[in-house]
Amino acid sequence: MSTSAPERFNELLCELEHCNEDEQRKKIGEMNEIVDRMREDEHKSVFSTELYDKIYKMIEEKKMTMENAILLLKHVGYCDVLKNFWNPFVEKSSLSRRFEKMIFEEEKKEKKNENFLVDLCECHLFLKNGSSYELLSICVPCLLKAASKKEESEETQKEVEIALLALCEIGFFNLKQEQYLKDITEIIKHQQKHRNLTKIAYQSVWDFFIHRFWFDNSLEEVIVNKMHFGREAARELEELTRNVNWKRKEVEPGKETREVFILMRWLQTFSIYFQSCRLKNEENVELLKNIVQVYRAAKGNNGVICNLCISSLRIAVQRRVVKVEDLLNGGAVDTVLEEMQRPKLNDNMAYECFQFLVNVSYRLKGKEKSENDEMKRKAIKMEIFEKMEEEGYEDTITTFHKIFEFLNKKYFNELPFNISDYFVYV
């Protein structure tokens, strides 16, 4: 009977206590390969608080060097991110506090070991330790410096990718502009000129930046007009959509192709971007068109991607980042109506679709001051209504009337019961 991945991993971990440093490194290489192959249930069965405490004890008793521990733990954290696994156990372990202490100690040294400090910061963020402002004020500049390396070797680009992915683990945390703005814009400008970052590294740069946008609207001019987020994201989406093998059947979470994983990250980033953005920009129009293209490619192949696309479109119309006519011409209205006609529509998708239509209707209600604008508004309203009639809109609304109350309770956002009347009167 063959040994399972968790069993073999634990066997190797026990063997580390009796090895010298070089032998440990070889066994850790094998352990990292096992981590690459683990399913989420296997991963959860292995990486418990007890395991992290055991590694901590081995370090303290000098049965494992810190360098070798980092070699293992950084790879585990990196895989967690790439496979979208969540591991809550390290935060409760002694190892978590050890990393925090070491970061502060290394930072205070007159002659810092910068590579070692980068490793510590990456482990700290990858393993989702609770962060403080003091810790992040060390980690952010340190990792941005590591991510600013210009060499194009495969090894350097992997280091850059890891540093940027670790930075994304900060998530929503309000930082001062002087801690990141100069470095992050320089990384983006260099990428726009040389195109040397990996796809996931470039997505991670923007993910980190857009999370700062959530707190600081003064970044809008930089992100939208100077760094051209809409243009860059649209181009990346187009390339990724082209490279995905959409004919593959849906697979279990954590087994997606790298391109699909990056697409999902982009779409999640768009939700934050559209929530924060106030400028109407032609690049946003192109971005929405590409989101529609992603939806069409994923339809029938990847339900998670389709859900993220519809959610992005809903937030975009709700936050008014484009005109209603752009939603119409870009295919967003058609996309939502197509989704509503699917034979199996889950509650979340029903909610997203109806909220999209409610917000379109809000924006088309009332009258314009200019006669020409008023005629244009009526024409757009009529065109949308005609599309809805063609797609059996009235029948769809009638079908879903019974679940409106349920959707309201589940999603805490009122859906009006007279939604079917919104586009009747032009």
Side-chain angles (χ1 to χ4, degrees):
M1 187 174 177
S2 60
T3 306
S4 69
E7 287 172 339
R8 181 57 183 155
F9 184 92
N10 286 321
E11 283 176 7
L12 288 166
L13 182 64
C14 292
E15 291 172 10
L16 292 181
E17 297 189 48
H18 312 291
C19 298
N20 62 37
E21 188 172 348
D22 290 338
E23 290 172 337
Q24 276 190 356
R25 191 170 287 268
K26 289 179 183 178
K27 289 185 183 294
I28 287 171
E30 184 180 344
M31 293 167 76
N32 286 343
E33 290 176 3
I34 293 170
V35 171
D36 289 336
R37 299 192 302 270
M38 278 184 183
R39 302 187 308 270
E40 186 169 11
D41 59 329
E42 292 175 326
H43 191 277
K44 286 181 178 178
S45 72
V46 170
F47 293 99
S48 61
T49 303
E50 290 73 24
L51 178 132
Y52 289 113
D53 283 338
K54 182 175 182 178
I55 293 174
Y56 170 78
K57 186 177 179 182
M58 289 171 69
I59 295 168
E60 291 295 296
E61 294 177 352
K62 301 190 184 305
K63 294 179 180 178
M64 180 190 289
T65 65
M66 179 56 73
E67 289 73 16
N68 282 347
I70 285 172
L71 186 65
L72 173 62
L73 293 168
K74 190 160 77 168
H75 188 78
V76 170
Y78 177 67
C79 284
D80 280 357
V81 174
L82 289 183
K83 295 182 179 183
N84 203 25
F85 292 167
W86 181 62
N87 187 343
F89 299 110
V90 71
E91 294 181 21
K92 303 173 184 177
S93 71
S94 305
L95 194 61
S96 171
R97 294 185 292 276
R98 174 68 185 262
F99 274 117
E100 292 180 16
K101 182 180 177 183
M102 291 180 70
I103 289 170
F104 284 123
E105 288 175 348
E106 193 63 36
E107 173 64 16
K108 290 177 182 177
K109 291 180 181 178
E110 188 174 343
K111 292 185 178 180
K112 300 181 186 67
N113 182 335
E114 293 192 0
N115 290 333
F116 183 53
L117 185 58
V118 167
D119 286 338
L120 292 173
C121 291
E122 288 170 346
C123 281
H124 168 69
L125 295 176
F126 271 144
L127 298 175
K128 297 179 176 62
N129 302 332
S131 290
S132 64
Y133 183 82
E134 290 74 20
L135 266 172
L136 293 182
S137 65
I138 298 170
C139 291
V140 171
C142 173
L143 294 184
L144 281 173
K145 184 177 180 180
S148 298
K149 294 178 181 178
K150 302 296 192 294
E151 299 95 318
E152 296 190 10
S153 68
E154 186 176 341
E155 182 180 356
T156 298
Q157 288 310 305
K158 181 64 177 292
E159 291 174 6
V160 169
E161 179 181 287
I162 291 173
L164 289 170
L165 273 170
L167 277 169
C168 289
E169 293 303 291
I170 292 171
F172 292 102
F173 205 104
N174 197 5
L175 301 170
K176 295 178 181 177
Q177 286 191 13
E178 55 264 30
Q179 293 177 321
Y180 65 88
L181 186 57
K182 183 175 181 293
D183 287 330
I184 207 79
T185 53
E186 285 183 359
I187 291 169
I188 292 171
K189 286 177 181 177
H190 190 269
Q191 170 66 4
Q192 289 173 344
K193 185 176 181 180
H194 299 281
R195 301 293 174 191
N196 62 325
L197 291 180
T198 64
K199 289 288 184 187
I200 196 166
Y202 193 40
Q203 189 282 327
S204 298
V205 175
W206 280 112
D207 188 79
F208 174 83
F209 204 3
I210 297 300
H211 273 82
R212 311 286 75 75
F213 188 18
W214 179 269
F215 297 100
D216 188 354
N217 283 121
S218 71
L219 295 171
E220 187 160 42
E221 178 65 23
V222 178
I223 288 172
V224 178
N225 291 334
K226 291 184 179 178
M227 296 290 102
H228 301 286
F229 174 74
R231 180 193 70 194
E232 291 294 297
R235 184 185 58 77
E236 293 292 311
L237 278 193
E238 186 175 5
E239 288 185 15
L240 287 164
T241 306
R242 211 167 40 234
N243 293 332
V244 170
N245 177 11
W246 292 107
K247 293 182 180 179
R248 292 176 77 236
K249 292 182 178 180
E250 287 194 45
V251 293
E252 63 182 284
K255 296 289 185 180
E256 296 89 355
T257 64
R258 196 175 179 87
E259 290 81 9
V260 168
F261 173 73
I262 303 169
L263 269 174
M264 291 169 63
R265 284 174 64 94
W266 273 117
L267 290 164
Q268 289 162 350
T269 301
F270 297 155
S271 295
I272 303 165
Y273 170 69
F274 291 142
Q275 287 280 7
S276 307
C277 188
R278 294 170 299 178
L279 290 177
K280 288 185 174 66
N281 184 291
E282 284 302 312
E283 292 177 3
N284 287 338
V285 177
E286 291 305 309
L287 177 53
L288 284 174
K289 286 180 181 178
N290 277 276
I291 292 173
V292 168
Q293 293 308 309
V294 173
Y295 168 85
R296 296 198 188 289
K299 187 178 179 182
N301 297 292
N302 191 306
V304 175
I305 291 283
C306 288
N307 202 335
L308 289 169
C309 288
I310 297 296
S311 180
S312 295
L313 295 176
R314 188 265 302 170
I315 295 170
V317 67
Q318 192 172 344
R319 301 297 293 177
R320 300 173 181 255
V321 298
V322 294
K323 299 174 183 176
V324 173
E325 61 197 272
D326 294 324
L327 292 166
L328 186 62
N329 296 334
V333 175
D334 287 321
T335 295
V336 170
L337 291 173
E338 284 176 27
E339 184 62 30
M340 290 176 70
Q341 298 302 313
R342 292 181 66 172
K344 293 182 180 179
L345 187 65
N346 63 43
D347 296 336
N348 183 63
M349 285 294 265
Y351 171 81
E352 295 288 356
C353 290
F354 281 121
Q355 282 290 4
F356 176 94
L357 295 176
V358 166
N359 279 282
V360 167
S361 75
Y362 283 158
R363 293 177 61 179
L364 287 174
K365 289 175 75 174
K367 292 188 176 182
E368 299 289 344
K369 294 180 181 179
S370 163
E371 187 175 338
N372 288 337
D373 288 343
E374 176 62 12
M375 290 176 63
K376 187 175 181 181
R377 181 191 70 82
K378 286 187 176 182
I380 293 169
K381 195 171 182 180
M382 178 61 79
E383 186 175 352
I384 291 176
F385 179 60
E386 287 174 352
K387 282 181 178 291
M388 291 179 171
E389 281 192 318
E390 290 171 9
E391 295 292 336
Y393 172 75
E394 294 292 346
D395 292 339
T396 303
I397 292 297
T398 301
T399 301
F400 281 100
H401 251 301
K402 294 180 180 180
I403 69 165
F404 281 176
E405 185 176 357
F406 170 73
L407 292 175
N408 282 339
K409 289 178 180 177
K410 185 172 182 180
Y411 297 101
F412 310 105
N413 204 333
E414 186 178 353
L415 282 165
F417 284 90
N418 63 333
I419 187 173
S420 56
D421 296 330
Y422 276 24
F423 291 91
V424 174
Y425 304 108
V426 180

